[in-house]
Amino acid sequence: MARAGLLTRSRWRAALLAGTALAALAIPSTAQAVDGMEVLTGLASDPFSIWGMSRNGQFLVGVTDGGSNNYRGWIYSNGTFTLVPVFADPTLQTTASAINDTGTVWVGYGQFQGPVYVTGHAIRYANGAFTDLHTGAAFGPGGSLENYIESFATAMSADTNVVAGFAQSHLGGWQAFRWTQATGMTGLGFLPGYSLSHATAISADGTTIVGYVGNAGPEQYQAMYWTTATGMVGLGSLPTAPGGKSFANAVSANGSVIVGGAVVDSTGNQHAFRWTQATGMQDLGTLPGGVYSNAVAVSADGSIVAGGSSGTGGGGFGFAFRWTQATGMQKLSDLLAASGVSPGPGFILGQTAYMSADGKITVGQLTGPGGSWQGYYIARCQSVICQGLTTYDQMASSYAGQSAVGQTANAAIGGVLGTMQEYATQAYQTQGNRSTPYSVFGYGAYDSDPIASGTLGLTADLPFGLVAGFTASANYVKTDMVYHGNAKMFGGALGAFIARTPDTGLQWLLGGSLIALRGDITRGYLNGVTPASSTGSASGNGYGATARIGWGFAVLPQVTVTPFASYTFAETRFGGYGETNGVFASNFDDFISTSQVSRGGGDLRYTFAPNSWVWGTAAWGHRLDSGRGASITGTLIDAPFGYTSPGLSSARDWTEVGGGVRLPAWTNGAVTASVTASLTPGQVVTYVSRLGVSQTF
């Protein structure tokens, strides 16, 4: 008969009796394969779903229930939940509880089938491989490690080399442990009079482990810390409730400041505390009107404490707070309101779940009217001033919107390449009406995306009916982005082509183009419910190439039909840049945007007079790269919060219809005009219009 694993809900709740009452997270419940990785989809709620955050705030880790207590860990970053790899068996539990700043190393718990029943061990995942941490020659008080049948890793140092957690004996009790590569798993023991110990957090430098000790009955708990120099030391209780329960939840980078929650009176009310060697356990109080509070996070230097407190207008740990020695406990929403920032009517900033090491970024649950889950908020504070409020989803959308700049730049390259067919045809058709092998042309184009360009070009006849052309363009590119953001860029392009375009028979064209752009990008986002923006200057360089092949048929006198196929490639690289204003101003890394478009269709041309014709075209366009935009990576300025967001995707398929006319205007000169419309189901019709003049010699 299979034995229940360590992560049954009752056991985990008992183990986290002192834990951070974390906010509920609506998390995915099914999985699909995307680029070889399992990405979660669908929504389900679990009040213990989020278990950790990287120190820089870029990664969250947690767990989802796949049914029948089959918990599976996930990593959240860039707006996406990704399932962690399976430790032993996809039908068993593999979970993550702590992760490093790059998302490459995490620790947690992995189940496997033992000789008699299912069991599980603390695990560490790095460089694509698991390490079973449940090894060691001795385990301190309580007997050898063999008596501890299960273990769970709860925290790790910043360099990932020291891991803390707890192991569970065959009798049901647990003991805190410390793991290193050199020592394996070492039990930390117990305080006198206690038979249980549990590790909840570890200092960034790996020297100090904090948690609590306890007894199963009568129920007693006391916050503790452990170092190699001191062993295990109890933190005691608050003076107002001698002998009362206390639990340590977080520790500063060097281990000198510890925070948590402790019973404050005979009725069992709990208050947040901050402990140092000099002050002992300091009661941080509650928000006005509250009776409960709990500290769950502390900055690296120990000066800022965050957590949750009940207060006027709510109960439980309903409101996020921020504490400093100078200000005392303050409601996070009040600090934001002082800067004119609001989450909106009926929305509440729930208890802080995690805080970045410098204390500038706090993360917690945003609830809406009726307590509905609205995602995770991100609040930004500088010293005692808080002036930024967004959510993970809004940040993902804002960053992803930057990819539209690359998409539009590639469209500008495509526009230059698309004009080549018109002038290659003109140069070929006028060969018998000029005394030199040369012609020149100029045109203006407008793309409703919008892109505006002006081009000058030269064509030259070559042997075997070939035509070569060269172009130089000036470009203005304006890109509309999410949250009313936009980019305005200016630049120039050079192009060249070679073609053979007779009325009938084989037709082909090869062309290429280079482009350079520079301008300002204004990124839009919401600060609370108020539109905000940040602006920076960026530059980009790109290139593109096109190939087109067709066959002309004379279907009627002066009428030809040309079925064709084409392929166009464009790539633009934008350099990294920094924004200069706005509460969520960011530094962005380089990004590369590519586009691969195939077209299949046909042209119809009617020549109604010498050197005069009209034409129409219809084609199906398809993005061979699935329309995917460039991923955007950025970091908030003066804050350790980094973010990478997959770029926005454009339509994969569309229809193009258009037409144009060429009319002689003066001696050896002509005017051309054309319009091409792109029709995508469910989207606004876009169009490209061109007006040009040409002169032969």
Side-chain angles (χ1 to χ4, degrees), residues 183-207:
T183 64
M185 188 181 289
T186 302
L188 304 187
F190 316 98
L191 288 176
Y194 294 91
S195 59
L196 309 172
S197 63
H198 186 281
T200 57
I202 188 171
S203 59
D205 63 9
T207 62

PDB file of all heavy atoms in Angstrom, residues 183-207:
ATOM      1  N   THR A 183      29.858  18.567   3.020  1.00  0.00           N
ATOM      2  CA  THR A 183      29.399  17.863   4.223  1.00  0.00           C
ATOM      3  C   THR A 183      28.191  16.974   3.997  1.00  0.00           C
ATOM      4  O   THR A 183      27.892  16.106   4.821  1.00  0.00           O
ATOM      5  CB  THR A 183      29.039  18.870   5.317  1.00  0.00           C
ATOM      6  OG1 THR A 183      27.926  19.667   4.875  1.00  0.00           O
ATOM      7  CG2 THR A 183      30.219  19.789   5.618  1.00  0.00           C
ATOM      8  N   GLY A 184      27.476  17.180   2.908  1.00  0.00           N
ATOM      9  CA  GLY A 184      26.205  16.518   2.750  1.00  0.00           C
ATOM     10  C   GLY A 184      25.185  17.121   3.698  1.00  0.00           C
ATOM     11  O   GLY A 184      25.311  18.259   4.156  1.00  0.00           O
ATOM     12  N   MET A 185      24.165  16.365   4.050  1.00  0.00           N
ATOM     13  CA  MET A 185      23.084  16.867   4.900  1.00  0.00           C
ATOM     14  C   MET A 185      23.457  16.690   6.368  1.00  0.00           C
ATOM     15  O   MET A 185      23.713  15.574   6.819  1.00  0.00           O
ATOM     16  CB  MET A 185      21.788  16.127   4.572  1.00  0.00           C
ATOM     17  CG  MET A 185      20.555  16.694   5.259  1.00  0.00           C
ATOM     18  SD  MET A 185      19.064  15.748   4.844  1.00  0.00           S
ATOM     19  CE  MET A 185      18.821  16.215   3.130  1.00  0.00           C
ATOM     20  N   THR A 186      23.471  17.799   7.102  1.00  0.00           N
ATOM     21  CA  THR A 186      23.822  17.781   8.520  1.00  0.00           C
ATOM     22  C   THR A 186      22.636  18.250   9.339  1.00  0.00           C
ATOM     23  O   THR A 186      22.091  19.339   9.104  1.00  0.00           O
ATOM     24  CB  THR A 186      25.020  18.705   8.801  1.00  0.00           C
ATOM     25  OG1 THR A 186      26.126  18.296   8.001  1.00  0.00           O
ATOM     26  CG2 THR A 186      25.402  18.643  10.268  1.00  0.00           C
ATOM     27  N   GLY A 187      22.221  17.455  10.311  1.00  0.00           N
ATOM     28  CA  GLY A 187      21.124  17.856  11.177  1.00  0.00           C
ATOM     29  C   GLY A 187      21.540  18.960  12.115  1.00  0.00           C
ATOM     30  O   GLY A 187      22.653  18.972  12.642  1.00  0.00           O
ATOM     31  N   LEU A 188      20.639  19.925  12.352  1.00  0.00           N
ATOM     32  CA  LEU A 188      20.946  21.053  13.217  1.00  0.00           C
ATOM     33  C   LEU A 188      20.520  20.827  14.654  1.00  0.00           C
ATOM     34  O   LEU A 188      20.807  21.652  15.528  1.00  0.00           O
ATOM     35  CB  LEU A 188      20.276  22.329  12.680  1.00  0.00           C
ATOM     36  CG  LEU A 188      20.616  22.716  11.238  1.00  0.00           C
ATOM     37  CD1 LEU A 188      20.027  24.074  10.904  1.00  0.00           C
ATOM     38  CD2 LEU A 188      22.113  22.703  10.995  1.00  0.00           C
ATOM     39  N   GLY A 189      19.837  19.732  14.913  1.00  0.00           N
ATOM     40  CA  GLY A 189      19.448  19.400  16.268  1.00  0.00           C
ATOM     41  C   GLY A 189      18.238  20.158  16.761  1.00  0.00           C
ATOM     42  O   GLY A 189      17.418  20.648  15.971  1.00  0.00           O
ATOM     43  N   PHE A 190      18.130  20.259  18.113  1.00  0.00           N
ATOM     44  CA  PHE A 190      16.969  20.876  18.750  1.00  0.00           C
ATOM     45  C   PHE A 190      17.435  21.717  19.927  1.00  0.00           C
ATOM     46  O   PHE A 190      18.561  21.570  20.415  1.00  0.00           O
ATOM     47  CB  PHE A 190      15.999  19.809  19.267  1.00  0.00           C
ATOM     48  CG  PHE A 190      15.759  18.690  18.296  1.00  0.00           C
ATOM     49  CD1 PHE A 190      16.455  17.487  18.421  1.00  0.00           C
ATOM     50  CD2 PHE A 190      14.859  18.826  17.258  1.00  0.00           C
ATOM     51  CE1 PHE A 190      16.244  16.452  17.530  1.00  0.00           C
ATOM     52  CE2 PHE A 190      14.637  17.793  16.365  1.00  0.00           C
ATOM     53  CZ  PHE A 190      15.337  16.604  16.495  1.00  0.00           C
ATOM     54  N   LEU A 191      16.586  22.597  20.403  1.00  0.00           N
ATOM     55  CA  LEU A 191      16.839  23.290  21.648  1.00  0.00           C
ATOM     56  C   LEU A 191      16.397  22.400  22.818  1.00  0.00           C
ATOM     57  O   LEU A 191      15.494  21.556  22.660  1.00  0.00           O
ATOM     58  CB  LEU A 191      16.076  24.612  21.687  1.00  0.00           C
ATOM     59  CG  LEU A 191      16.583  25.737  20.776  1.00  0.00           C
ATOM     60  CD1 LEU A 191      15.648  26.944  20.855  1.00  0.00           C
ATOM     61  CD2 LEU A 191      18.005  26.134  21.139  1.00  0.00           C
ATOM     62  N   PRO A 192      17.000  22.559  23.998  1.00  0.00           N
ATOM     63  CA  PRO A 192      16.572  21.755  25.154  1.00  0.00           C
ATOM     64  C   PRO A 192      15.078  21.889  25.402  1.00  0.00           C
ATOM     65  O   PRO A 192      14.522  22.995  25.396  1.00  0.00           O
ATOM     66  CB  PRO A 192      17.387  22.353  26.307  1.00  0.00           C
ATOM     67  CG  PRO A 192      18.608  22.925  25.650  1.00  0.00           C
ATOM     68  CD  PRO A 192      18.118  23.450  24.322  1.00  0.00           C
ATOM     69  N   GLY A 193      14.443  20.767  25.616  1.00  0.00           N
ATOM     70  CA  GLY A 193      13.016  20.766  25.884  1.00  0.00           C
ATOM     71  C   GLY A 193      12.146  20.688  24.651  1.00  0.00           C
ATOM     72  O   GLY A 193      10.917  20.671  24.755  1.00  0.00           O
ATOM     73  N   TYR A 194      12.767  20.670  23.460  1.00  0.00           N
ATOM     74  CA  TYR A 194      12.010  20.591  22.205  1.00  0.00           C
ATOM     75  C   TYR A 194      12.448  19.352  21.421  1.00  0.00           C
ATOM     76  O   TYR A 194      13.607  18.926  21.489  1.00  0.00           O
ATOM     77  CB  TYR A 194      12.231  21.835  21.347  1.00  0.00           C
ATOM     78  CG  TYR A 194      11.682  23.106  21.944  1.00  0.00           C
ATOM     79  CD1 TYR A 194      12.481  23.905  22.761  1.00  0.00           C
ATOM     80  CD2 TYR A 194      10.369  23.506  21.688  1.00  0.00           C
ATOM     81  CE1 TYR A 194      11.985  25.076  23.308  1.00  0.00           C
ATOM     82  CE2 TYR A 194       9.873  24.679  22.237  1.00  0.00           C
ATOM     83  CZ  TYR A 194      10.675  25.458  23.046  1.00  0.00           C
ATOM     84  OH  TYR A 194      10.181  26.618  23.584  1.00  0.00           O
ATOM     85  N   SER A 195      11.517  18.807  20.635  1.00  0.00           N
ATOM     86  CA  SER A 195      11.815  17.586  19.877  1.00  0.00           C
ATOM     87  C   SER A 195      11.695  17.774  18.370  1.00  0.00           C
ATOM     88  O   SER A 195      11.890  16.822  17.611  1.00  0.00           O
ATOM     89  CB  SER A 195      10.857  16.468  20.310  1.00  0.00           C
ATOM     90  OG  SER A 195       9.496  16.861  20.084  1.00  0.00           O
ATOM     91  N   LEU A 196      11.360  18.979  17.939  1.00  0.00           N
ATOM     92  CA  LEU A 196      11.212  19.267  16.516  1.00  0.00           C
ATOM     93  C   LEU A 196      12.009  20.522  16.181  1.00  0.00           C
ATOM     94  O   LEU A 196      12.158  21.413  17.017  1.00  0.00           O
ATOM     95  CB  LEU A 196       9.740  19.501  16.144  1.00  0.00           C
ATOM     96  CG  LEU A 196       8.707  18.471  16.578  1.00  0.00           C
ATOM     97  CD1 LEU A 196       7.304  18.985  16.280  1.00  0.00           C
ATOM     98  CD2 LEU A 196       8.948  17.145  15.876  1.00  0.00           C
ATOM     99  N   SER A 197      12.503  20.603  14.947  1.00  0.00           N
ATOM    100  CA  SER A 197      13.101  21.849  14.458  1.00  0.00           C
ATOM    101  C   SER A 197      12.848  21.958  12.970  1.00  0.00           C
ATOM    102  O   SER A 197      12.745  20.948  12.263  1.00  0.00           O
ATOM    103  CB  SER A 197      14.602  21.911  14.763  1.00  0.00           C
ATOM    104  OG  SER A 197      15.319  20.882  14.093  1.00  0.00           O
ATOM    105  N   HIS A 198      12.763  23.199  12.499  1.00  0.00           N
ATOM    106  CA  HIS A 198      12.398  23.438  11.102  1.00  0.00           C
ATOM    107  C   HIS A 198      13.132  24.682  10.607  1.00  0.00           C
ATOM    108  O   HIS A 198      13.183  25.696  11.310  1.00  0.00           O
ATOM    109  CB  HIS A 198      10.890  23.654  10.994  1.00  0.00           C
ATOM    110  CG  HIS A 198      10.378  23.767   9.594  1.00  0.00           C
ATOM    111  ND1 HIS A 198      10.483  24.915   8.852  1.00  0.00           N
ATOM    112  CD2 HIS A 198       9.758  22.866   8.797  1.00  0.00           C
ATOM    113  CE1 HIS A 198       9.946  24.716   7.663  1.00  0.00           C
ATOM    114  NE2 HIS A 198       9.502  23.490   7.597  1.00  0.00           N
ATOM    115  N   ALA A 199      13.722  24.611   9.425  1.00  0.00           N
ATOM    116  CA  ALA A 199      14.425  25.744   8.822  1.00  0.00           C
ATOM    117  C   ALA A 199      13.535  26.387   7.770  1.00  0.00           C
ATOM    118  O   ALA A 199      13.046  25.707   6.862  1.00  0.00           O
ATOM    119  CB  ALA A 199      15.730  25.295   8.193  1.00  0.00           C
ATOM    120  N   THR A 200      13.318  27.701   7.874  1.00  0.00           N
ATOM    121  CA  THR A 200      12.461  28.414   6.929  1.00  0.00           C
ATOM    122  C   THR A 200      13.234  29.307   5.978  1.00  0.00           C
ATOM    123  O   THR A 200      12.778  29.591   4.873  1.00  0.00           O
ATOM    124  CB  THR A 200      11.440  29.294   7.680  1.00  0.00           C
ATOM    125  OG1 THR A 200      12.146  30.197   8.545  1.00  0.00           O
ATOM    126  CG2 THR A 200      10.486  28.441   8.492  1.00  0.00           C
ATOM    127  N   ALA A 201      14.415  29.805   6.401  1.00  0.00           N
ATOM    128  CA  ALA A 201      15.152  30.751   5.559  1.00  0.00           C
ATOM    129  C   ALA A 201      16.637  30.663   5.882  1.00  0.00           C
ATOM    130  O   ALA A 201      17.038  30.145   6.931  1.00  0.00           O
ATOM    131  CB  ALA A 201      14.640  32.177   5.775  1.00  0.00           C
ATOM    132  N   ILE A 202      17.447  31.197   4.967  1.00  0.00           N
ATOM    133  CA  ILE A 202      18.897  31.211   5.143  1.00  0.00           C
ATOM    134  C   ILE A 202      19.417  32.572   4.692  1.00  0.00           C
ATOM    135  O   ILE A 202      18.871  33.192   3.764  1.00  0.00           O
ATOM    136  CB  ILE A 202      19.556  30.066   4.336  1.00  0.00           C
ATOM    137  CG1 ILE A 202      21.041  29.946   4.671  1.00  0.00           C
ATOM    138  CG2 ILE A 202      19.355  30.266   2.848  1.00  0.00           C
ATOM    139  CD1 ILE A 202      21.674  28.689   4.075  1.00  0.00           C
ATOM    140  N   SER A 203      20.437  33.076   5.368  1.00  0.00           N
ATOM    141  CA  SER A 203      21.008  34.369   4.985  1.00  0.00           C
ATOM    142  C   SER A 203      21.681  34.254   3.623  1.00  0.00           C
ATOM    143  O   SER A 203      22.088  33.169   3.192  1.00  0.00           O
ATOM    144  CB  SER A 203      22.021  34.832   6.036  1.00  0.00           C
ATOM    145  OG  SER A 203      23.065  33.882   6.175  1.00  0.00           O
ATOM    146  N   ALA A 204      21.803  35.380   2.927  1.00  0.00           N
ATOM    147  CA  ALA A 204      22.390  35.378   1.595  1.00  0.00           C
ATOM    148  C   ALA A 204      23.801  34.832   1.606  1.00  0.00           C
ATOM    149  O   ALA A 204      24.235  34.149   0.664  1.00  0.00           O
ATOM    150  CB  ALA A 204      22.375  36.791   1.012  1.00  0.00           C
ATOM    151  N   ASP A 205      24.556  35.113   2.684  1.00  0.00           N
ATOM    152  CA  ASP A 205      25.935  34.621   2.749  1.00  0.00           C
ATOM    153  C   ASP A 205      26.025  33.176   3.218  1.00  0.00           C
ATOM    154  O   ASP A 205      27.124  32.615   3.294  1.00  0.00           O
ATOM    155  CB  ASP A 205      26.791  35.530   3.637  1.00  0.00           C
ATOM    156  CG  ASP A 205      26.316  35.561   5.090  1.00  0.00           C
ATOM    157  OD1 ASP A 205      25.438  34.756   5.467  1.00  0.00           O
ATOM    158  OD2 ASP A 205      26.831  36.411   5.847  1.00  0.00           O
ATOM    159  N   GLY A 206      24.897  32.563   3.546  1.00  0.00           N
ATOM    160  CA  GLY A 206      24.869  31.154   3.911  1.00  0.00           C
ATOM    161  C   GLY A 206      25.310  30.838   5.318  1.00  0.00           C
ATOM    162  O   GLY A 206      25.384  29.660   5.693  1.00  0.00           O
ATOM    163  N   THR A 207      25.574  31.852   6.150  1.00  0.00           N
ATOM    164  CA  THR A 207      26.102  31.597   7.484  1.00  0.00           C
ATOM    165  C   THR A 207      25.031  31.342   8.529  1.00  0.00           C
ATOM    166  O   THR A 207      25.301  30.717   9.556  1.00  0.00           O
ATOM    167  CB  THR A 207      26.958  32.786   7.953  1.00  0.00           C
ATOM    168  OG1 THR A 207      26.125  33.966   8.021  1.00  0.00           O
ATOM    169  CG2 THR A 207      28.116  33.042   6.997  1.00  0.00           C
TER     170      THR A 207
END
